[in-house]
Amino acid sequence: MKERGLLIVLSGPSGVGKGTVRKAIFSQPDTKFQYSISMTTRKPREGEVDGVDYFFKSKEEFEELIQNDKLLEWAEYVGNYYGTPIDYVESTLQEGKDVFLEIEVQGALQVRKAFPEGLFIFLAPPSLKELKNRIVTRGTETDDLILNRMKVAKEEIEMMDAYDYVVENDQVELACDRINAIVTAEHCRRDRVARRYKQMLEVDF
Amino acid sequence: MKERGLLIVLSGPSGVGKGTVRKAIFSQPDTKFQYSISMTTRKPREGEVDGVDYFFKSKEEFEELIQNDKLLEWAEYVGNYYGTPIDYVESTLQEGKDVFLEIEVQGALQVRKAFPEGLFIFLAPPSLKELKNRIVTRGTETDDLILNRMKVAKEEIEMMDAYDYVVENDQVELACDRINAIVTAEHCRRDRVARRYKQMLEVDF
């Protein structure tokens, strides 16, 4: 009996470096993740391959998938649809592979609803740590600047609440290490492991 | 505001290799854990230092600590008491250090009651995996042997249920990697991180 894979969702505020961290993870020679291929209605660019870079679909096909709840999340952007096909994710998880999805915050919230058992990782800007230092040494900055930073920090902290883990992106390499550690740890969680052993015992005897 | 440390409790069936894994973790040059020093009423052996190898106490002192609930767990063995002093663990956690406790299953269950927020890791024998292979290829073994292995496996799986994580001790190095990953991941858990940030915001404004 193969262990089902995990759906790993990396998200966070725009500009935090999600794409950079995702690329760094997939450039590791021993990465065990399967990148989740998005679906789109935009035309393929030169060199782009269907089923590798994207699943390319017509507008009609995409809208039918929306109607039939076949997308984990989707959005319209500059006249084209973009989304995550549920069937591809599901079949990859069934093969026992961990699927990695890097996505904007709004999309992550959609995925959380459709797939609550996913592993939701919030990539946090290091400025939250900086903020702490700035607060500690306050007086060296104008009150307005501090208040504005506080507002941003509060909004970011509220965004965290829908996630399982928070990874600070202070250094890309450290952020990758933490993400890999989180996935390793999740595979060791007792409820997963014990369930697997129990299923094994039940099925075979 | 310093983040409070985690209490990491490594346990598992006797003979699984808890001591070997603990020693391997503490032989890593970059280990960040503080080993939890036990308390005992047995006499120091040559070279043993109070407060390093053990906290050495008289029988009366130890029994007073038992009375006052000052031990996370304790047991009597060959006429001597052995236990884990709560004050040492508590003050080390307050300093922001992760405390590592390697302990028998009965002691771990006591700690779980006294300290439910601890991180309980069950070290599992690789025979559970072997068992799976044996079941798959069954027919090559006597039914009695298979049934006996099943009984042992079931007992071990039931012991797992009080733990947060299960680490298979197939190779000591891999087991250490998994334990380190679990601790890294736990430090990234959203409830810990967000709570810390929220406290920071509340305290300072």
Side-chain angles (χ1 to χ4, degrees):
Chain A
M1 201 181 330
K2 197 168 260 178
E3 185 188 353
R4 188 176 150 86
L6 300 171
L7 175 63
I8 302 144
V9 180
L10 180 69
S11 189
S14 71
V16 74
K18 295 185 290 290
T20 308
V21 169
R22 186 251 302 158
K23 279 175 201 152
I25 281 183
F26 280 94
S27 73
Q28 291 171 339
D30 58 346
T31 182
K32 291 187 197 86
F33 307 135
Q34 174 68 47
Y35 184 61
S36 169
I37 301 164
S38 291
M39 193 170 274
T40 185
T41 56
R42 80 151 165 76
K43 297 274 167 289
R45 293 184 191 134
E46 206 178 313
E48 283 186 340
V49 178
D50 184 47
V52 176
D53 298 289
Y54 282 98
F55 296 110
F56 294 101
K57 297 284 171 191
S58 70
K59 205 181 166 200
E60 291 70 31
E61 287 172 317
F62 202 103
E63 285 174 348
E64 201 183 314
L65 291 168
I66 295 174
Q67 290 296 324
N68 296 331
D69 277 335
K70 289 292 191 185
L71 297 165
L72 272 181
E73 54 81 36
W74 65 273
E76 207 176 344
Y77 179 70
V78 203
N80 286 305
Y81 289 124
Y82 294 82
T84 303
I86 211 164
D87 285 353
Y88 175 74
V89 168
E90 192 53 51
S91 62
T92 312
L93 295 175
Q94 286 293 344
E95 289 168 23
K97 287 181 197 155
D98 296 330
V99 177
F100 193 99
L101 183 59
E102 177 236 315
I103 198 172
E104 298 300 324
V105 172
Q106 288 311 318
L109 294 177
Q110 286 186 55
V111 178
R112 175 109 257 183
K113 274 183 200 155
F115 211 95
E117 70 269 37
L119 199 57
F120 290 78
I121 303 176
F122 184 87
L123 196 67
S127 62
L128 282 174
K129 201 170 202 169
E130 286 169 22
L131 176 76
K132 188 176 168 181
N133 295 331
R134 280 168 195 249
I135 290 168
V136 171
T137 59
R138 75 189 149 190
T140 62
E141 286 201 61
T142 67
D143 287 353
D144 273 4
L145 190 56
I146 290 174
L147 280 175
N148 189 49
R149 288 193 145 263
M150 290 302 303
K151 194 170 155 273
V152 171
K154 278 188 174 163
E155 283 166 7
E156 283 170 347
I157 288 165
E158 274 157 29
M159 283 161 74
M160 285 181 190
D161 284 350
Y163 293 77
D164 303 305
Y165 293 95
V166 177
V167 165
E168 195 179 301
N169 190 18
D170 47 355
Q171 288 180 45
V172 172
E173 236 178 277
L174 290 178
C176 292
D177 289 349
R178 291 177 197 129
I179 291 167
N180 284 321
I182 288 167
V183 178
T184 297
E186 282 283 327
H187 279 291
C188 293
R189 268 181 50 186
R190 188 256 307 157
D191 47 358
R192 279 190 226 288
V193 179
R195 196 200 307 144
R196 206 159 75 240
Y197 280 121
K198 281 175 187 172
Q199 283 175 344
M200 181 183 91
L201 295 176
E202 279 162 19
V203 168
D204 289 277
F205 282 79
Chain B
M1 203 180 330
K2 198 169 257 177
E3 186 188 352
R4 190 176 149 84
L6 300 171
L7 175 64
I8 301 144
V9 180
L10 181 69
S11 189
S14 70
V16 75
K18 296 186 287 293
T20 308
V21 169
R22 186 252 302 158
K23 278 175 201 151
I25 281 182
F26 280 94
S27 73
Q28 291 171 339
D30 57 346
T31 182
K32 289 185 198 88
F33 307 136
Q34 175 67 45
Y35 185 60
S36 169
I37 301 164
S38 291
M39 194 171 273
T40 185
T41 57
R42 82 152 164 73
K43 297 274 167 288
R45 294 185 190 133
E46 208 178 313
E48 283 185 341
V49 177
D50 184 47
V52 176
D53 299 289
Y54 282 97
F55 296 110
F56 295 102
K57 296 286 171 189
S58 70
K59 203 180 167 201
E60 292 69 32
E61 287 172 317
F62 202 104
E63 286 173 347
E64 202 183 313
L65 291 169
I66 295 173
Q67 290 296 323
N68 296 331
D69 277 334
K70 289 292 193 185
L71 296 165
L72 271 181
E73 55 80 37
W74 64 274
E76 205 174 344
Y77 180 71
V78 204
N80 286 306
Y81 289 124
Y82 294 82
T84 303
I86 211 164
D87 285 353
Y88 174 73
V89 168
E90 192 53 50
S91 63
T92 312
L93 295 176
Q94 286 293 344
E95 289 168 24
K97 289 182 197 153
D98 296 331
V99 177
F100 193 99
L101 184 58
E102 177 236 315
I103 198 171
E104 299 300 324
V105 172
Q106 289 310 317
L109 294 177
Q110 285 185 56
V111 178
R112 176 110 257 185
K113 274 181 201 156
F115 211 95
E117 69 270 36
L119 200 55
F120 290 78
I121 302 176
F122 185 86
L123 196 67
S127 62
L128 282 175
K129 201 169 201 171
E130 285 169 25
L131 175 77
K132 189 176 169 182
N133 295 331
R134 280 167 195 249
I135 290 168
V136 171
T137 59
R138 76 190 148 189
T140 61
E141 285 201 61
T142 67
D143 287 352
D144 273 5
L145 190 56
I146 290 173
L147 280 175
N148 190 48
R149 290 193 144 264
M150 291 301 303
K151 193 169 157 276
V152 171
K154 278 188 175 163
E155 283 166 8
E156 283 171 347
I157 287 165
E158 274 157 30
M159 283 161 74
M160 283 179 192
D161 283 349
Y163 292 78
D164 303 305
Y165 293 95
V166 177
V167 164
E168 195 180 301
N169 190 18
D170 47 354
Q171 288 180 43
V172 172
E173 235 178 278
L174 289 178
C176 292
D177 288 348
R178 291 176 196 130
I179 292 167
N180 284 321
I182 288 167
V183 178
T184 297
E186 282 283 328
H187 279 291
C188 293
R189 267 181 49 187
R190 188 255 309 157
D191 47 358
R192 279 189 225 289
V193 178
R195 196 198 309 141
R196 207 160 72 240
Y197 280 121
K198 281 175 187 173
Q199 282 175 345
M200 182 182 90
L201 295 177
E202 280 162 19
V203 168
D204 290 277
F205 282 81

